[in-house]
């Protein structure tokens, strides 16, 4: 009886040790099959400062902050008077020099035979060629200046380079603007992406072009189709905007997850700086593991 009781206790101890060993294994060594990666990031949208390529006085602005604009929409105009006057002067100058060029070409052509038979001196023939070359050059220069004046007149109208939304109306009518002074700042609708960071141990599970899904706290039930468009080749410490005490010294890689959807209201759902969740499904290999 005593021997049986001893064996029973030994069995119980061994059984408990096995259970404890199994628990420790699952807690510290066993890693469950991972079929997706969850990341957290922020929406980023390209912004552009819009300005005139020429200097002038601001005559009109047609949009306010928050207005939607289409590519090619006229946003603002400068006073045209100085540009139109300069264009008219250069047009007249070009016509005058064109007439002089035609006359110089005619004189050279009529006197060329006299140079061939030495009726005219070498110096006179050289002067004829010089006059013709000078007239040609002056006309070409004036023509280039005229074309440049036409471009300047066209540049006095500011147009939207892409579809977007006006963020800031920086200047007002009547302002004297040097060339390149921003008048509007505009947020572009495309491309739209989320910036996120991935741990080094998960880096081998993803690849460029891999499918991903983005959702926000404001619309948790809707996922926006996306793909991985950029993986930084350089490791960096966890950014302060997302770091915790445990992650402060971890190395991560920056990702750009680009939204694929072509919804006209996309900018209403995903806005600049908005925190989002990024789900990256992983392909499961035939051996039961996951791979990028």
């Amino acid at each position: 009886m005593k021997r049986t009781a001893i064996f029973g206790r030994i069995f119980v101890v061994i059984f408990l040790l096995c259970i404890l060993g199994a628990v420790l294994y699952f807690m510290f060594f066993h890693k469950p099959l991972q079929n997706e990666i969850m990341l957290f990031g922020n929406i980023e949208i390209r912004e552009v400062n819009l300005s005139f390529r020429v200097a002038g006085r601001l005559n009109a602005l047609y949009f306010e902050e928050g207005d939607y604009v289409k590519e090619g929409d006229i946003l603002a105009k400068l006073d045209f008077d100085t540009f139109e006057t300069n264009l008219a002067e250069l047009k007249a100058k070009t016509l005058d020099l064109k007439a002089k060029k035609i006359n110089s070409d005619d004189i050279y052509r009529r006197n060329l035979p006299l140079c061939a038979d030495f009726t005219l001196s070498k110096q006179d023939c050289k002067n004829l060629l010089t006059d013709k070359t000078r007239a040609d050059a002056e006309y070409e220069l004036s023509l280039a200046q005229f074309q440049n004046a036409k471009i300047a007149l066209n540049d006095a109208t500011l147009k939207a380079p892409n579809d977007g939304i006006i963020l800031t109306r920086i200047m007002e009518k009547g302002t004297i603007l040097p060339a390149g002074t921003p008048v509007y700042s505009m947020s572009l609708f495309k491309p739209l992406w989320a910036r996120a960071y991935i741990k080094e141990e998960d880096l081998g599970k993803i690849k460029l072009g891999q499918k991903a899904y983005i959702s926000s706290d404001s619309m948790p039930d809707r996922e926006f189709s996306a793909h991985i468009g950029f993986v930084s080749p350089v490791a960096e410490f966890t950014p302060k905007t997302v770091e915790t005490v445990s992650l402060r010294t971890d190395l991560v890689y920056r990702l750009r997850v680009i939204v694929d959807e072509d919804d006209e209201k996309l900018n209403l759902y995903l806005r600049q700086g908005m925190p989002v969740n990024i789900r990256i499904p992983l392909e499961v290999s035939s051996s039961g593991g996951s791979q990028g």
Side-chain angles (χ1 to χ4, degrees):
M1 292 295 294
K2 292 183 178 180
R3 182 175 297 176
T4 302
I6 292 174
F7 283 137
R9 292 174 180 173
I10 293 175
F11 175 79
V12 171
V13 171
I14 293 175
F15 179 73
L16 292 175
L17 289 175
C18 289
I19 293 177
L20 179 61
V23 171
L24 292 176
Y25 170 77
F26 277 96
M27 288 179 60
F28 297 103
F29 300 100
H30 176 72
K31 292 185 178 180
L33 181 63
Q34 188 180 17
N35 58 8
E36 65 180 21
I37 295 176
M38 286 298 300
L39 301 176
F40 305 96
N42 296 87
I43 292 296
E44 290 192 351
I45 304 173
R46 286 202 176 115
E47 297 180 7
V48 57
N49 289 327
L50 304 177
S51 59
F52 293 96
R53 291 202 303 175
V54 292
R57 183 173 61 188
L58 191 55
N59 178 271
L61 298 99
Y62 299 104
F63 290 90
E64 299 287 345
E65 295 175 354
D67 288 344
Y68 293 88
V69 297
K70 294 288 187 179
E71 181 179 353
D73 283 350
I74 295 177
L75 305 179
K77 290 182 179 180
L78 298 176
D79 283 340
F80 288 166
D81 51 2
T82 55
F83 299 100
E84 291 173 339
T85 300
N86 186 49
L87 183 63
E89 289 178 352
L90 288 172
K91 182 178 180 180
K93 179 181 177 182
T94 301
L95 292 175
D96 178 59
L97 291 175
K98 182 179 181 180
K100 291 180 179 179
K101 173 185 179 305
I102 294 173
N103 184 58
S104 178
D105 290 343
D106 184 56
I107 293 174
Y108 179 76
R109 185 172 57 256
R110 284 188 286 106
N111 286 276
L112 190 59
L114 300 179
C115 293
D117 61 9
F118 302 103
T119 301
L120 292 178
S121 66
K122 290 184 178 180
Q123 185 61 46
D124 289 338
C125 293
K126 184 177 180 181
N127 291 339
L128 287 172
L129 180 60
T130 300
D131 292 341
K132 177 183 180 303
T133 303
R134 181 182 296 111
D136 290 345
E138 289 177 347
Y139 171 71
E140 292 297 329
L141 176 60
S142 180
L143 190 62
Q145 291 173 339
F146 176 66
Q147 294 298 327
N148 190 54
K150 290 173 64 176
I151 294 173
L153 177 60
N154 184 67
D155 286 341
T157 299
L158 181 63
K159 297 180 179 180
N162 297 96
D163 296 351
I165 182 172
I166 299 298
L167 294 180
T168 310
R169 176 169 158 159
I170 303 172
M171 296 297 175
E172 292 299 330
K173 179 180 178 180
T175 305
I176 304 298
L177 298 175
T181 303
V183 177
Y184 287 107
S185 65
M186 187 179 82
S187 175
L188 305 182
F189 286 158
K190 293 181 181 181
L192 180 68
W193 71 85
R195 172 178 47 83
Y197 296 86
I198 189 170
K199 296 184 294 185
E200 185 177 7
E201 62 189 68
D202 290 331
L203 190 60
K205 302 174 184 177
I206 65 169
K207 60 185 178 182
L208 288 177
Q210 187 169 343
K211 197 69 177 176
Y213 299 90
I214 294 176
S215 61
S216 65
D217 293 338
S218 61
M219 298 184 66
D221 297 331
R222 175 168 180 180
E223 288 189 322
F224 298 92
S225 178
H227 71 275
I228 298 176
F230 170 76
V231 180
S232 175
V234 180
E236 53 190 280
F237 289 107
T238 310
K240 292 183 178 181
T241 54
V242 296
E243 77 176 15
T244 64
V245 175
S246 60
L247 295 177
R248 190 170 295 163
T249 58
D250 284 1
L251 288 176
V252 293
Y253 291 82
R254 179 165 53 89
L255 298 182
R256 178 176 291 176
V257 183
I258 302 174
V259 179
D260 294 327
E261 298 194 16
D262 193 21
D263 190 335
E264 292 183 355
K265 297 182 179 180
L266 193 60
N267 62 298
L268 299 178
Y269 308 139
L270 301 175
R271 296 176 179 267
Q272 174 77 359
M274 177 182 287
V276 292
N277 308 312
I278 303 169
R279 182 172 65 88
I280 306 176
L282 301 179
E283 299 174 2
V284 180
S285 65
S286 58
S287 60
S290 60
Q291 59 182 7

